[in-house]
Amino acid sequence: MPLIDLANPTRFLALTQRLLPGLAVATALAFAAGLYLAWFVAPDDYQQGATVKIMFVHVPAAWLGMGIWALMSLSALGTLVWRHPLADVAAKTAAPIGAALTFVCLVTGALWGRPMWGTYWVWDARLTSVLVLFLMYLGVLALWRTVEDPARAGRAAAILTLVGAVNLPIIKFSVDWWNTLHQPASVLRLDGPALHSSIMTPLLVMALAFALLFVTLHVSAMRNEIMRRRVRTLRLMQAGAA
Amino acid sequence: MRLRLTASGLAVVRGFREVFSELSFELAGGELLALTGPNGAGKSSLLRLIAGLVRPSAGALALEGGDPELSIPEQAHYLAHQDAFKPALTVEENLRFWVRFAGADEAALGEALAAVGLGSLADLPAAFLSAGQRRRLSVARLRAVARPLWLLDEPTSALDAAAQDRLAAIMADHLAAGGLIIAATHGPLGLAGTRELRLGQASPETA
Amino acid sequence: MGPLGALLLRDMRLSLRVGGGALMGVLFFLIVVTMIPFALGPDLALLQRIGPAILWLGALLASLLALDRLFAADHEDGSLDLILMGRTPLELAVLAKALAHWITTGLPLVVATPVLGLFLNLDLTAVGAVALTLAVGTPALTLIGLIGAALAVVLRRGGLLLPVLVLPLTIPVLIFGVSASNAAIVGPVPFGTPFLVLCALTLMSLVVGPLAAAAALRQGLD
């Protein structure tokens, strides 16, 4: 009985075993630099005080939350079009991390909102869009957990991910439109051109640190998932041989 | 041109278990291939593979002499335990739907129902049919829509002796017209010139 | 009659003949709308103000709840196998099924809207606006739900999973449906703007829904 398509995952395991320690160290260094810049270099906001520093966690988490869905969409194409065995694993293991980062974005947004708006939650366009993204992550996670057979679940999740990728920009546009209809413009404006480099540099370093953290976690999770599937295959073979 | 179905090196994997591998056979127009073997040997999987409902993990299938514009499943009939009839529709409505869906001529409908002895039940909802009568309705679909390749999964199950004879006659007609039949079966089909493909020989690595 | 017409006719016949497939959706719609005043209190001014939203939410839930059997029944009795084998492109067959489903469950909701509008103290303009937006928007709900119905077959699991997967995707339809209704009643934006976006969403789901549902059904083969 041939072990199906283990050639590629095997090479992946060997390669990542050598890469992982380096990735972990790079992540730690980037966080050290980013946190130093955020705490000691970036100035307090003249209105918001030190509260503004939540942004250095909030914004990278939001970027990654969206970026990870894009990564999952690419993996979904890999699953559906090329049927690559690693694509499936990549999509499955990215989803919980994406959900967690989106959740971090929501929580930090709420903590920021409390002093700014006097309430933890407002139906602000950005926050609402991120909430919908979070719900869609949970949908994908629910789907993965519902089905025992990883191949079947993988293809279903891939289709849902791609449909989500088509829909997310539409949802974002709709929520923005809905928001302008019901509320004045948001307090939380980061897209203005006026961001000073003393804020921009720490923000970018923090974004790099978060991205490295994601890569490290994702690679380890993929390794775990590959091994989990091997155990599953061995058990099925054991049952088949008995 | 005579029809010829060629299978080479087919393999099916379901949930990491290899159902069969390295399966090759050839079948020419007018021939019947009987698939035999124990339960779980992959008879149904092979039929579903040819019907395009299961993806092979290896191997290739080719049908020569058919319509080059159409895929193999589009030229095939698939008769299985799940007979695709709705209990709420009448016998005739059920059959008429599949004839229309296949784009075939509805004129053959009455003749097909009569050929399986269901002519008098045409207006009855399918819910009232017995298992054997439903199976006969499936056979009527083979008759009502012309397809060169028939894939039959246990076609004789639930049929009594008279109905089995009728089925054998309908199959013989199809073969005489140059059609192909692949049937998974436990018992004899009562047709001369049947070739047999036995699945599920003890494979060496399971020992 | 062609294959698609045959499929359309069969599905409509089935949902009319088998225990109230069509009526069940309307009944659910009626009950949801009846429940809301019990939660909010019988304040007619309030009900009038949020009436379009209530009707839209009721229709959204009603049209999604009826969906999970759309492909599951055909999968269980083997019909789906034969449809997959057929010479008709699967995307079109799926679309025919969606149309049959909309005619038997979506359209009755649109027809029932004026009656329910009376309960919510909506005037003629408001009822007309809600009915018109529902007529344009419920096809989008069915077409988006199609994806969930196909996934339910692949996953062999229906129930709550389907709305969990599908509801977030319907947010734009809900937003523009309700906005267009409100625009017709109180403004401030002209009715045309959100209504045209709603039409665009329906046209988009006309493409995305059948494509994704057919892909899901094909992927779920083995």
Side-chain angles (χ1 to χ4, degrees), chain B residues 15-35:
Chain B
F16 289 93
R17 190 176 77 89
E18 206 158 61
V19 183
F20 53 74
S21 61
E22 286 302 310
L23 189 72
S24 302
F25 61 85
E26 259 193 34
L27 195 66
E31 287 183 329
L32 187 157
L33 185 68
L35 306 177

Side-chain angles (χ1 to χ4, degrees), chain A residues 80 83 132 135-136 139 142-143 146-147 152-153 155-156 159-160 163-164 166-167 170-171 173-175 177-178 181, chain C residues 147 151 153-157 161 164-165 168-169 171-172 175-176 179 189 194 197 201 204 208 212 215-216 219-220 222:
Chain A
L80 295 178
R83 299 187 163 256
V132 175
L135 291 178
M136 294 193 44
L143 193 155
T146 320
V147 187
R152 181 177 285 275
R155 292 192 298 261
I159 286 173
L160 183 68
V163 170
V166 172
N167 259 275
I170 303 175
I171 294 175
F173 158 76
S174 313
V175 170
W177 193 87
W178 163 83
L181 195 67
Chain C
I147 303 168
L151 287 176
V153 167
V154 180
L155 302 171
R156 311 213 166 121
R157 195 76 67 100
L161 187 65
V164 164
L165 300 183
L169 304 175
I171 290 172
I175 287 178
F176 285 100
S179 298
V189 276
V197 178
L201 288 173
M204 266 198 65
V208 175
Q219 295 297 328
D222 27 288

Side-chain angles (χ1 to χ4, degrees), chain C residues 56 59-60 63-64 67 137-146 166 170 173:
Chain C
W56 255 93
L60 177 65
S63 59
L64 280 193
L67 264 170
T138 44
L141 299 179
T142 303
L143 290 163
I144 295 170
L146 209 56
V166 168
T170 62
V173 180

